[in-house]
Amino acid sequence: MERHSIILERRSIYVNIRGMGKRVRREESLSRDRIIEASIALLDSRGEDGLTFRALSERLATGAGAIYWHVENKGDLLTAACDAVVARTMAPCAAGASPEDTIRALALGLFDAIDAHPWVGSTLTRAAGQAPMLRIVECLGQQVRALGLSDEGQWTAASALLHYILGVAGQNAANTQFARAHDIDRADFLGAMATVWSQLDPNDYPFTRSVADRMREHDDRADFLAGVDLILCGIASQDGR
């Protein structure tokens, strides 16, 4: 009887150890990176409201407690997901290019990233002192410094670029989301707007009427980059080039 109890006890320990091993392997496989990638996928498909720990748990086939081991809350998760997208966007931007080319590459990269991930724009506005925004500020600041501006001029130039890039990219993404949500065709919308503008009173709206036809087929991305170039021209005039 005693020997039988010892055997059962050993079997129980063996089963518990095996079970613990399975739990350890499962928890080890649930890394912070996996959680962030799953969060990005949820944000892209469902928006910020769709990112819940319940939905994330289902996608990762785990419990919410295991996720909380890696992230503190939804705000932490949003910032981490935003930072991952920003870091990827910035990675190829400074490969031996001139400061101007680096700024253009970063601007277009962020424009495209925010267009593909609209939630990034709104997250950046709430993450002023956190990693994703600091990455962008530091990159812009270093490139502006390399252009030879004074200390005072560096902040003015970097700030102008930052607000233009994030403002226009965010508005473009918002327009795209609105169009998708309301099943609006871009060409039809722009055509209708151009028609309305062309019929405005020429005395009250001379400029608006003059650009009406350009509204029909204008390229948002090209217009955005043209704006960046205007700022760069202003910077060049400040440092005497």
Side-chain angles (χ1 to χ4, degrees):
M1 182 70 178
E2 183 178 351
R3 182 185 176 190
H4 182 64
S5 298
I6 293 173
I7 291 172
L8 287 177
E9 184 178 355
R10 286 177 177 173
R11 286 181 177 175
S12 177
I13 292 173
Y14 175 67
V15 170
N16 286 337
I17 290 174
R18 290 183 63 190
M20 286 174 63
K22 290 179 180 178
R23 285 196 296 273
V24 168
R25 284 193 296 273
R26 187 160 54 244
E27 290 173 4
E28 286 177 348
S29 66
L30 184 64
S31 65
R32 182 177 172 85
D33 287 343
R34 275 195 64 211
I35 294 171
I36 290 171
E37 291 306 313
S39 299
I40 291 173
L42 276 174
L43 286 162
D44 288 347
S45 61
R46 305 184 188 180
E48 287 190 33
D49 291 341
L51 179 63
T52 65
F53 278 79
R54 179 176 181 178
L56 196 55
S57 298
E58 292 175 355
R59 179 174 287 265
L60 292 167
T62 189
I67 297 173
Y68 277 114
W69 179 263
H70 297 277
V71 294
E72 293 183 8
N73 49 49
K74 181 175 178 177
D76 178 36
L77 196 53
L78 269 168
T79 301
C82 179
D83 190 42
V85 172
V86 169
R88 288 175 200 160
T89 301
M90 296 179 64
C93 289
S98 67
E100 293 92 342
D101 286 342
T102 300
I103 289 171
R104 291 187 186 97
L106 174 62
L108 281 177
L110 288 171
F111 184 89
D112 291 339
I114 293 174
D115 187 51
H117 312 280
W119 52 272
V120 167
S122 57
T123 303
L124 281 170
T125 63
R126 299 192 297 267
Q130 300 183 60
M133 184 65 85
L134 291 177
R135 288 183 193 273
I136 299 170
V137 171
E138 183 62 27
C139 182
L140 288 174
Q142 287 188 23
Q143 303 312 312
V144 166
R145 176 173 290 176
L147 291 173
L149 290 177
S150 65
D151 290 346
E152 182 178 350
Q154 289 172 22
W155 167 247
T156 302
S159 179
L161 284 164
L162 177 69
H163 287 91
Y164 174 80
I165 292 168
L166 297 186
V168 176
Q171 186 59 57
N172 177 75
N175 291 342
T176 300
Q177 287 294 99
F178 181 84
R180 288 174 182 168
H182 294 82
D183 196 25
I184 298 173
D185 179 80
R186 183 179 185 277
D188 291 342
F189 176 79
L190 292 178
M193 181 180 293
T195 299
V196 171
W197 285 17
S198 67
Q199 295 171 353
L200 292 171
D201 188 313
N203 295 316
D204 293 333
Y205 301 97
F207 171 77
T208 306
R209 277 179 57 103
S210 71
V211 298
D213 286 341
R214 297 187 182 185
M215 286 296 298
R216 297 182 189 278
E217 298 180 359
H218 80 279
D219 186 320
D220 293 323
R221 200 167 181 266
D223 287 351
F224 169 76
L225 186 57
V228 173
D229 284 336
L230 281 175
I231 297 175
L232 290 175
C233 287
I235 294 173
S237 69
Q238 291 297 310
D239 68 4
R241 287 186 292 162

